[in-house]
Amino acid sequence: MYDSQRILAVVPARGGSKGVPKKNIQPIQGVPIVARVGHLIQQLPEIDRAVVSTDDPVIAETAEQSGLAAPWMRPESLSGDRIGDLDVLTHALQACETADATRYDIVLMLQPTSPMRTAAHVRQTYQTLVDENRDAVWTVSATDPKYHPRKQLEWDETTLRYHSQDGGQVIARQQLDTLYHRNGAAYAFTRDCLVEQRAILGHNSGAVVTEDMVSIDTWFDFRLVEFLLEDRRTSQTL
């Protein structure tokens, strides 16, 4: 609980993964990535309840071993690869409120695929939600100007052209405004945002800007995160 607000953490971890089979139970530094979330949550006593939302019994068992609860299996209607976060979070919220006979004020989404997050990232996200009276808060990172939309190109096998009509006018990076992208470290939502607004980006949303993260989609991402975490550990011990 933070500032009298009851917090539910939801860890979405479906079983199907095309890029990396069984992705959510693949290890980083010897620990399955879904279990890493459970271990992290143990550093956040303000969180009142933490559950995994999955359709896979192996993921459920792995999550439970790390301290996460797996009180139900995700219904088949929420198990495909085109199911949005809103439906998964709303289902988890309603299921937990029914089972626990309580009302949760804040819902956190902590995806296993962002293993570089720290407890500080998560804490700052829900504190910002409450302290700034926001509907939703996402962690974001500044986008490298090389990937700015005004510098992107389109290619249809016949013609190469700028994606933006004024793309050809960009000479220096100073002409580009700073843009941000979600980095997956943490998301926080009010109950009203999910249930009443039916949105994960509410009318009054905010951001916590962090260093860039690696969101795992490929085997290369696993190797990259291993390297970066080891580099972080080494730097902290110097």
Side-chain angles (χ1 to χ4, degrees):
M1 186 176 294
Y2 176 70
D3 195 27
S4 301
Q5 303 287 296
R6 292 184 61 81
I7 302 175
L8 169 68
V10 179
V11 181
R14 69 184 184 87
S17 176
K18 296 177 181 178
V20 177
K22 301 185 183 300
K23 177 171 64 177
N24 286 305
I25 54 174
Q26 295 298 331
I28 291 287
Q29 297 182 330
V31 180
I33 61 173
V34 70
R36 293 181 67 91
V37 187
H39 297 163
L40 183 78
I41 288 173
Q42 293 175 23
Q43 303 173 43
L44 296 162
E46 303 96 321
I47 294 177
D48 298 279
R49 178 84 147 128
V51 300
V52 63
S53 172
T54 186
D55 54 358
D56 187 300
V58 177
I59 293 176
E61 181 180 358
T62 304
E64 287 184 313
Q65 291 172 355
S66 73
L68 295 171
W72 30 257
M73 298 299 290
R74 190 189 294 188
E76 186 176 350
S77 60
L78 296 179
S79 297
D81 58 5
R82 294 183 178 274
I83 303 301
D85 295 327
L86 176 63
D87 291 334
V88 171
L89 294 170
T90 302
H91 169 264
L93 172 63
Q94 294 173 342
C96 286
E97 288 189 335
T98 298
D100 302 343
T102 192
R103 178 188 175 98
Y104 292 100
D105 305 292
I106 297 170
V107 177
L108 299 178
M109 180 168 68
L110 301 176
Q111 298 162 318
T113 48
S114 188
M116 294 187 65
R117 73 167 65 85
T118 66
H121 293 136
V122 179
R123 181 176 285 114
Q124 187 178 2
T125 303
Y126 59 71
Q127 287 180 343
T128 300
L129 182 84
V130 175
D131 296 349
E132 296 186 3
N133 195 30
R134 299 286 189 176
D135 297 324
V137 173
W138 298 9
T139 57
V140 301
S141 300
T143 300
D144 189 317
K146 292 193 296 291
Y147 306 115
H148 195 285
R150 290 178 66 194
K151 297 187 71 174
Q152 299 309 298
L153 303 170
E154 295 179 358
W155 168 243
D156 60 6
E157 303 298 328
T158 60
T159 304
L160 184 68
R161 55 185 172 271
Y162 287 106
H163 173 71
S164 175
Q165 290 185 351
D166 65 347
Q169 301 173 21
V170 178
I171 306 301
R173 60 189 297 172
Q174 289 77 15
Q175 294 175 258
L176 302 172
D177 53 336
T178 302
L179 296 182
Y180 299 86
H181 58 271
R182 65 171 87 183
N183 61 34
Y187 301 81
F189 315 96
T190 63
R191 187 183 190 280
D192 176 79
C193 186
L194 297 178
V195 176
E196 303 299 330
Q197 295 186 42
R198 293 289 298 163
I200 61 171
L201 195 65
H203 301 317
N204 180 28
S205 294
V208 169
V209 181
T210 77
E211 69 276 17
D212 206 0
M213 302 280 173
V214 177
S215 182
I216 291 181
D217 289 313
T218 67
W219 287 115
F220 174 78
D221 294 333
F222 273 95
R223 294 193 293 272
L224 178 59
V225 169
E226 290 267 9
F227 170 80
L228 293 173
L229 288 176
E230 179 59 24
D231 183 67
R232 178 191 286 177
R233 186 193 67 80
T234 302
S235 299
Q236 291 172 345
T237 58
L238 292 179

